[in-house]
Amino acid sequence: IGNTLMDGYDYIYNNPNHSINYVECHDNQTSWDKLKDCCKDSVREVRLAKHKLLLASVMFAQGIPFIHSGQEFCRTKLQYSNTYNKPDTINGMDWARRCNYNQIVEYTKACIAIRKQFEAFKLNDCETIKKEVSFVEHDNVLEYIIRHDDQVNNISEVKIIFNPTSVQKYFNYDDSYNIILDEKGLITNGLCSKVI
């Protein structure tokens, strides 16, 4: 989006499919480790909610989502950053975490399923994004709106609410909207007339 909607910046991509979006990759800390560093005073449940928010921000952005292996189960490299020269005890997969963080795995699967289902998350050119995507900020909460005529799913608008604050926020929409995902995961399966 920054490549399309941020006037005054140099655009570095020819189209959205040239943008690879991620919050973690092999270099640097994993997002789970970074959250532990940055949010030392947060309880585990808050860090889990923030981890889900990071995953959702990648999955619902325009462009290509990149999920680092193990990110879907809160991969840790034991706070190490650049681990190219570290042993498998640091870089290997701890598959026990797959069971311990199953809620994050299921949340990731839900985000992937929604992204696959709805055209609004896969807009192909900058002009379409300029026309169909907008943002509204509500007291540190971001409302990400995609007005896209998706005839396959019979919807014309998708809204995603990103709330990084510790305060619950309430939004009122008319009955034509259906909530299909929240911080707990998938709420409904199937097609919706409109999606939040």
Side-chain angles (χ1 to χ4, degrees):
I1 298 299
N3 192 70
T4 302
L5 302 181
M6 301 292 288
D7 288 335
Y9 289 87
D10 291 330
Y11 295 163
I12 57 176
Y13 305 114
N14 293 330
N15 68 59
N17 291 327
H18 292 171
S19 175
I20 309 299
N21 305 312
Y22 61 92
V23 294
E24 93 174 45
C25 64
H26 182 72
D27 295 337
N28 302 314
Q29 288 180 303
T30 65
S31 52
W32 182 250
D33 288 349
K34 186 68 172 174
L35 283 170
K36 287 183 82 172
D37 267 356
C38 294
C39 307
K40 287 181 173 57
D41 296 332
S42 295
V43 296
R44 180 176 180 270
E45 288 72 26
V46 169
R47 288 197 309 273
L48 288 170
K50 289 180 180 184
H51 194 73
K52 289 177 184 178
L53 188 70
L54 291 172
L55 283 162
S57 69
V58 169
M59 290 310 305
F60 300 135
Q62 300 299 322
I64 306 296
F66 171 81
I67 303 292
H68 185 221
S69 58
Q71 185 178 344
E72 72 278 15
F73 50 81
C74 303
R75 182 179 181 178
T76 181
K77 293 195 291 179
L78 305 177
Q79 305 305 113
Y80 286 100
S81 184
N82 195 354
T83 60
Y84 74 96
N85 59 353
K86 300 293 183 214
D88 287 348
T89 53
I90 303 299
N91 285 312
M93 290 288 138
D94 179 356
W95 292 107
R97 293 180 77 82
R98 166 59 181 87
C99 297
N100 295 337
Y101 292 92
N102 189 57
Q103 65 168 297
I104 305 295
V105 173
E106 293 304 316
Y107 188 83
T108 304
K109 286 181 183 178
C111 289
I112 291 169
I114 290 169
R115 182 181 177 89
K116 284 182 174 181
Q117 182 176 352
F118 296 103
E119 294 173 0
F121 302 116
K122 298 170 283 209
L123 303 179
N124 289 325
D125 59 80
C126 293
E127 289 309 311
T128 303
I129 291 172
K130 283 181 182 178
K131 186 176 76 174
E132 298 183 359
V133 174
S134 61
F135 299 93
V136 180
E137 191 266 328
H138 307 275
D139 194 24
N140 297 318
V141 174
L142 183 68
E143 184 178 23
Y144 167 28
I145 304 157
I146 309 169
R147 290 181 180 91
H148 179 76
D149 185 22
D150 181 344
Q151 295 180 0
V152 173
N153 292 298
N154 192 30
I155 64 166
S156 60
E157 185 170 285
V158 175
K159 292 188 181 204
I160 301 99
I161 311 298
F162 290 110
N163 181 2
T165 74
S166 58
V167 179
Q168 284 188 343
K169 306 284 182 170
Y170 297 91
F171 293 84
N172 293 316
Y173 298 103
D174 65 43
D175 290 341
S176 65
Y177 286 90
N178 293 309
I179 299 172
I180 60 170
L181 181 80
D182 67 8
E183 71 279 359
K184 294 177 186 141
L186 206 57
I187 292 175
T188 183
N189 290 312
L191 305 179
C192 307
S193 59
K194 289 191 176 179
V195 182
I196 296 181

